[in-house]
Amino acid sequence: MISKSYLIEQDKEFLLKNTSVLFYGENLGLKNDFKRSILGYFKDKVIKRNQDEIIKNQDILFEDILNISLFDERKIFIIDDVNDKFLGIFQEIEKRIGENKIYLFSDILDKKSKLRNYFEKSKEFNTVACYQDNLVNIKNIIKKKLENYINLNSENISIIAENSNLDRDKLYNEIDKIKIYFSDLKI
């Protein structure tokens, strides 16, 4: 199944509904936003791994999935840097997911990618393409994050957007600087 990233940003409940989601694309800031949302939503045990670590020792992931905790209902897995090499491992564990949730994060996957195709054609799993932000998205983020600030105008927003270079991580850094410098909420 294919989902649009902008719709998921508006409806974070999406992350609760799906057992497995593949986030891929060039927008590292957007993928980091989704990771923060996942970490914020789930009070359960979150286990972070990357593909290379799992490929070197596949038993790690299988043990994590099969070990049942007396305190946690489910486990949340965040697996970074996946590519087509991970598909075989995922197909082995998908039968054992149960109540657990697995979120895969990848760089750009072309249309011929086996992993991407597997998730797109699945009725149970979901894919989310994280394409590069445009100027409108960046400006909307600025307006939302700095909505309580006095004297925030379109010129200030444009300057902040220019300094971010259409990169969310840089934008958040700029916004943090503004929040520290203008703690009285006046720009």
Side-chain angles (χ1 to χ4, degrees):
M1 209 178 325
I2 302 171
S3 296
K4 304 288 183 189
S5 61
Y6 68 91
L7 294 175
I8 296 167
E9 282 185 287
Q10 295 169 1
D11 178 24
K12 301 287 184 170
E13 297 293 317
F14 166 86
L15 298 171
L16 301 171
K17 298 173 191 169
N18 293 282
T19 57
S20 296
V21 182
L22 170 65
F23 296 94
Y24 70 92
E26 60 204 352
N27 194 337
L28 182 61
L30 180 57
K31 291 186 285 187
N32 287 336
D33 277 351
F34 286 131
K35 284 180 191 176
R36 281 188 286 273
S37 294
I38 291 166
L39 294 172
Y41 266 114
F42 296 108
K43 307 291 184 245
D44 304 313
K45 186 175 181 180
V46 176
I47 300 169
K48 288 183 162 185
R49 304 262 185 234
N50 69 29
Q51 174 182 284
D52 293 338
E53 179 182 2
I54 293 169
I55 287 177
K56 287 179 185 172
N57 186 2
Q58 291 182 16
D59 294 336
I60 291 173
L61 185 60
F62 291 112
E63 288 172 7
D64 285 340
I65 289 174
L66 296 176
N67 285 342
I68 299 172
S69 171
L70 298 174
F71 304 106
D72 297 323
E73 293 176 27
R74 63 182 164 222
K75 296 177 188 170
I76 309 303
F77 295 91
I78 294 177
I79 303 172
D80 288 317
D81 303 324
V82 297
N83 57 31
D84 286 343
K85 294 177 187 175
F86 192 76
L87 180 59
I89 296 169
F90 182 79
Q91 288 172 329
E92 286 182 43
I93 63 170
E94 76 177 284
K95 301 167 193 118
R96 301 176 186 158
I97 292 174
E99 292 294 316
N100 299 323
K101 296 189 179 292
I102 299 177
Y103 299 98
L104 306 175
F105 290 88
S106 176
D107 287 333
I108 299 170
L109 295 174
D110 61 17
K111 290 188 178 203
K112 295 179 184 177
S113 167
K114 293 176 185 177
L115 182 64
R116 178 179 165 182
N117 284 327
Y118 186 77
F119 271 78
E120 286 178 349
K121 291 177 182 175
S122 171
K123 293 182 181 177
E124 295 176 44
F125 311 128
N126 224 307
T127 58
V128 179
C130 299
Y131 298 118
Q132 199 61 38
D133 284 313
N134 59 29
L135 190 58
V136 174
N137 289 352
I138 294 295
K139 286 184 176 183
N140 286 336
I141 292 170
I142 295 168
K143 288 176 189 174
K144 184 178 176 185
K145 297 282 185 182
L146 300 176
E147 66 186 348
N148 296 328
Y149 282 74
I150 300 169
N151 298 330
L152 181 68
N153 57 34
S154 59
E155 184 180 341
N156 294 342
I157 291 171
S158 294
I159 291 169
I160 297 167
E162 272 182 40
N163 286 342
S164 73
N165 220 13
L166 300 181
D167 182 342
R168 275 188 197 217
D169 285 336
K170 288 180 183 176
L171 175 64
Y172 292 147
N173 190 22
E174 293 294 317
I175 290 173
D176 288 343
K177 289 177 191 176
I178 290 168
K179 287 181 177 181
I180 290 169
Y181 190 74
F182 299 105
S183 60
D184 61 351
L185 301 179
K186 286 185 180 180
I187 295 180

